């Protein structure tokens, strides 16, 4: 690994997001202070960003993450036992896309091995882009149109929408009780168009074990 000359303390004012983008230095983006973990960005390159640098205690690793968006929304980091094995994992959430109709975050869970090696497990895009929409449905009842997720219904006014999708909306959060949640969109498209119309919001608990992610406890919410 290249010697990036990371600051001895994240509080060093020379290392910040603005200096990273405009000054060609390593940028300190976020930390989880109680765990001794921090997220740095290698010096910004004109043809694209450098790797993400994760320091966790005495461990340091590079990851090829696409964490820079046009709005430069800073990542978030937390540390807790995500899988119930009595060992803490490092939780990293960052945007990969933002803008009109687009709000996409990635969730990464890092585990530290006995030798200090950091292993990255990413929440799979296929899960929210392909698997979650299979749970969606829509129906007309008494002249009213409803989005359906399990036993939950949300009424919406748009007509002629049939094809379900998640659109380009996926987000993650850590809860006070040290859990993880997914938030997304319930979208439908006309049968002859791929352009989605988001008619409701969804959420679910994120479960993680042995590098595998699953979702459960789904809920459906109105945009109103």
């Amino acid at each position: 690994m290249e010697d990036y000359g990371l600051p001895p303390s994240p509080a060093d004012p020379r290392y910040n997001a603005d200096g990273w983008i405009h000054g060609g230095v390593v940028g300190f983006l976020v930390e989880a202070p109680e765990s001794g973990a921090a997220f740095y960005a290698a010096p910004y390159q004109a043809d694209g960003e450098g790797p993400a640098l994760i320091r966790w205690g005495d461990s340091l690793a590079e990851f090829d993450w696409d964490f820079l968006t046009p709005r430069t929304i800073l990542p978030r980091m937390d540390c807790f036992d995500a899988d119930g094995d009595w060992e803490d994992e490092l939780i990293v959430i960052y945007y990969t896309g933002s803008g009109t109709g687009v709000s996409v975050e990635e969730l990464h869970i890092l585990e530290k091995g006995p030798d200090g090696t950091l292993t990255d497990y990413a929440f799979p895009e296929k899960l929210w882009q392909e698997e979650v929409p299979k749970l969606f449905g829509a129906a007309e009842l008494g002249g009213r149109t409803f989005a359906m997720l399990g036993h939950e219904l949300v009424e919406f006014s748009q007509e002629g929408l049939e094809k379900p999708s998640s659109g380009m909306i996926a987000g993650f959060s850590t809860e006070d009780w040290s859990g993880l949640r997914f938030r997304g969109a319930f979208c439908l498209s006309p049968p002859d168009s791929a352009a989605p119309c988001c008619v409701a919001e969804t959420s679910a608990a994120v479960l993680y074990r042995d590098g595998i992610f699953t979702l459960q406890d789904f809920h459906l919410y109105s945009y109103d």
Side-chain angles (χ1 to χ4, degrees):
M1 180 186 297
E2 181 177 340
D3 182 5
Y4 290 102
L6 297 186
S9 168
D12 190 320
R14 296 173 298 171
Y15 300 88
N16 54 63
D18 187 65
W20 163 57
I21 294 172
H22 302 290
V25 300
V26 168
F28 161 66
L29 302 184
V30 68
E31 67 177 326
E34 295 182 358
S35 66
F39 186 140
Y40 302 90
Y44 183 76
Q45 304 168 10
D47 59 348
E49 65 195 69
L53 307 174
I54 301 297
R55 171 187 279 170
W56 187 3
D58 295 330
S59 299
L60 177 65
E62 295 179 352
F63 295 101
D64 186 19
W65 294 343
D66 185 18
F67 58 89
L68 178 63
T69 69
R71 297 185 179 186
T72 315
I73 303 173
L74 296 180
R76 307 191 302 279
M77 179 180 282
D78 208 337
C79 189
F80 54 80
D81 181 8
D83 56 6
D85 66 352
W86 302 98
E87 297 288 341
D88 284 346
E89 286 76 40
L90 194 61
I91 316 300
V92 180
I93 300 169
Y94 60 82
Y95 274 91
T96 61
S98 62
T100 303
V102 177
S103 180
V104 180
E105 290 183 325
E106 283 196 8
L107 165 66
H108 291 257
I109 293 183
L110 275 62
E111 297 197 23
K112 183 188 290 189
D115 62 352
T117 300
L118 302 185
T119 303
D120 172 30
Y121 297 96
F123 186 93
E125 180 179 303
K126 180 179 179 180
L127 185 55
W128 66 269
Q129 279 279 24
E130 300 180 21
E131 298 302 321
V132 170
K134 294 177 182 179
L135 306 176
F136 296 161
E140 293 187 7
L141 302 172
R144 302 161 66 187
T145 307
F146 295 89
M148 301 187 303
L149 179 61
H151 297 292
E152 298 185 349
L153 302 177
V154 166
E155 186 175 5
F156 63 95
S157 59
Q158 294 88 342
E159 298 180 354
L161 303 177
E162 299 178 7
K163 184 179 177 181
S165 74
S166 296
M168 288 299 292
I169 299 176
F172 301 91
S173 62
T174 56
E175 304 291 348
D176 292 340
W177 45 274
S178 296
L180 288 164
R181 289 201 67 83
F182 165 82
R183 58 177 176 78
F186 183 138
C187 301
L188 295 166
S189 305
D192 56 350
S193 172
C197 178
C198 296
V199 298
E201 295 180 341
T202 64
S203 77
V206 179
L207 303 185
Y208 168 82
R209 181 173 289 276
D210 298 328
I212 304 299
F213 293 86
T214 56
L215 294 173
Q216 70 172 26
D217 189 25
F218 281 91
H219 292 286
L220 187 64
Y221 307 91
S222 171
Y223 273 124
D224 299 331

